[in-house]
Amino acid sequence: MGFFETLADRIEAVDSVVSVGLDPDPSRLPETVTDADLPRWAFNRRIIDATHEHAACYKPNAAFYEDPDGWRALRETAAYAEGKGVPVLLDAKRGDIGNTARQYAGILDHVDAITVNPYLGRDSLQPFLDRADKGVFALCRTSNPGGTDLQDLELASGEPIYERVAALADTWNANGNVGLVVGATTPDELETVREIVPEIPFLVPGVGAQGGDAEAAVEHGLASRPDLPVDVGLVNSSRGIIFAGEESSRPDDEATYFGAAGDAAKRLKKRLNRHR
């Protein structure tokens, strides 16, 4: 079964398109986990316990695991999430040439999908694309303000670069495993990209702490494919869910702290489902 078939089943089972970003910033971890052998893993486990009933996917960002203990924590996190029946999308933004790309693609042995950077061209992504059972989300129109520096530049054809990336992704999708990253902070561009690629699912960041457009994220982020039982796509929130406990009534109480994350995930699911 391919990634998007697995994701469709998960979306249908929990009635949710919420992606929970697992970005365990060590400087923000609560004291209840800081004495653990692997604090980031201890934190993620409690977040997963609190949110898995509302999560279509978990999206750990590789930047928060770039050290020996971090990679151990990431492996434990991925295995635990899969044990709960939730697929794992690693936000790693990989992309390189030749043998290097093949080595990077090896991380797909441990997760269900990955984000990639398409700006080195198709050959830099081929080792990922060849993994037909894995999801490959190419950066297209990102949610950060500086994304306009390159992604909006106009080509000789008159189209901006992000539109060309979307069109290319369609040609790379021979295995039906390609998705695009398109931010909710740029709803007009989200709509434009959807018109270019009607059947490619999007990962839509920016709805949480960045304040992106939830309605546009759902309306344009989900793809209808004839081979899938539900519209498929993901709307991600990271800090807005996993650190919701910082604003809770008793942030020093473990049950209250992590319960707030579960409540935040549930609220986002309900908010998004109003537009599905």
Side-chain angles (χ1 to χ4, degrees), residues 2-8 11 17-19 56-60 87-95 107-108 111-119 124-142 165-166 168-170 172-173 176-183 190 193-194 197 199-205 217 220-223 225 228 231-236:
F3 172 73
F4 289 116
E5 287 79 10
T6 299
L7 181 60
I11 290 171
V17 293
V18 172
S19 164
C57 186
Y58 286 110
K59 186 183 73 66
V88 175
L89 161 58
L90 181 63
D91 192 356
K93 301 179 179 69
R94 297 293 192 245
I107 202 166
L108 285 170
V111 294
D112 302 292
I114 194 168
T115 61
V116 295
N117 187 331
Y119 288 93
S124 70
L125 304 184
Q126 199 62 54
F128 302 93
L129 300 171
D130 287 342
R131 298 291 295 270
D133 59 328
K134 303 292 185 177
V136 183
F137 287 84
L139 300 179
C140 180
R141 183 63 177 92
T142 58
V165 170
L168 285 171
D170 211 24
W172 299 337
N173 198 24
N177 62 339
V178 172
L180 288 172
V181 180
V182 189
L190 226 172
V193 176
R194 173 54 66 215
V197 286
E199 295 187 2
I200 288 185
F202 296 170
L203 166 66
V204 185
H220 305 302
L222 307 186
R225 284 182 22 175
L228 300 178
D231 292 351
V232 172
L234 293 166
V235 181
N236 186 77

Side-chain angles (χ1 to χ4, degrees), residues 4 10 33 43-44 46 52 56 87 118 131 141 154 218 257:
F4 289 116
R10 179 66 188 174
V33 302
F43 178 80
N44 286 349
R46 289 163 174 79
H52 69 91
R131 298 291 295 270
R141 183 63 177 92
E154 191 172 293
V218 173
Y257 183 97

Side-chain angles (χ1 to χ4, degrees), residues 35-271:
D35 289 336
D37 178 45
L38 293 173
R40 283 165 287 185
W41 153 232
F43 178 80
N44 286 349
R45 180 172 64 81
R46 289 163 174 79
I47 292 290
I48 291 170
D49 285 341
T51 63
H52 69 91
E53 293 180 355
H54 312 296
C57 186
Y58 286 110
K59 186 183 73 66
N61 189 307
F64 293 92
Y65 304 91
E66 297 277 3
D67 60 81
D69 281 351
W71 287 112
R72 287 174 57 207
L74 180 60
R75 286 194 298 270
E76 294 288 350
T77 296
Y80 194 70
E82 300 232 8
K84 296 286 190 181
V86 189
V88 175
L89 161 58
L90 181 63
D91 192 356
K93 301 179 179 69
R94 297 293 192 245
D96 213 323
I97 58 174
N99 188 54
T100 309
R102 289 192 291 275
Q103 294 301 311
Y104 276 140
I107 202 166
L108 285 170
D109 292 339
H110 306 288
V111 294
D112 302 292
I114 194 168
T115 61
V116 295
N117 187 331
Y119 288 93
L120 276 71
R122 179 170 186 152
D123 62 307
S124 70
L125 304 184
Q126 199 62 54
F128 302 93
L129 300 171
D130 287 342
R131 298 291 295 270
D133 59 328
K134 303 292 185 177
V136 183
F137 287 84
L139 300 179
C140 180
R141 183 63 177 92
T142 58
S143 59
N144 61 305
T148 60
D149 293 348
L150 293 176
Q151 296 160 22
D152 282 5
L153 292 179
E154 191 172 293
L155 302 175
S157 62
E159 63 184 334
I161 288 176
Y162 76 86
E163 290 186 19
R164 176 64 62 85
V165 170
L168 285 171
D170 211 24
T171 71
W172 299 337
N173 198 24
N175 289 322
N177 62 339
V178 172
L180 288 172
V181 180
V182 189
T185 54
T186 56
D188 292 341
E189 288 89 344
L190 226 172
E191 181 177 6
T192 297
V193 176
R194 173 54 66 215
E195 291 172 353
I196 297 169
V197 286
E199 295 187 2
I200 288 185
F202 296 170
L203 166 66
V204 185
V207 166
Q210 296 179 65
D213 189 323
E215 182 175 0
V218 173
E219 181 179 355
H220 305 302
L222 307 186
S224 178
R225 284 182 22 175
D227 59 321
L228 300 178
V230 294
D231 292 351
V232 172
L234 293 166
V235 181
N236 186 77
S237 176
S238 300
R239 290 166 290 170
I241 292 177
I242 66 173
F243 295 123
E246 293 177 345
E247 306 300 325
S248 65
S249 59
R250 299 172 61 196
D252 295 330
D253 177 73
E254 181 170 315
T256 303
Y257 183 97
F258 291 103
D263 291 341
K266 184 177 181 179
R267 284 195 303 271
L268 181 57
K269 178 173 81 169
K270 289 184 175 180
R271 179 183 170 199

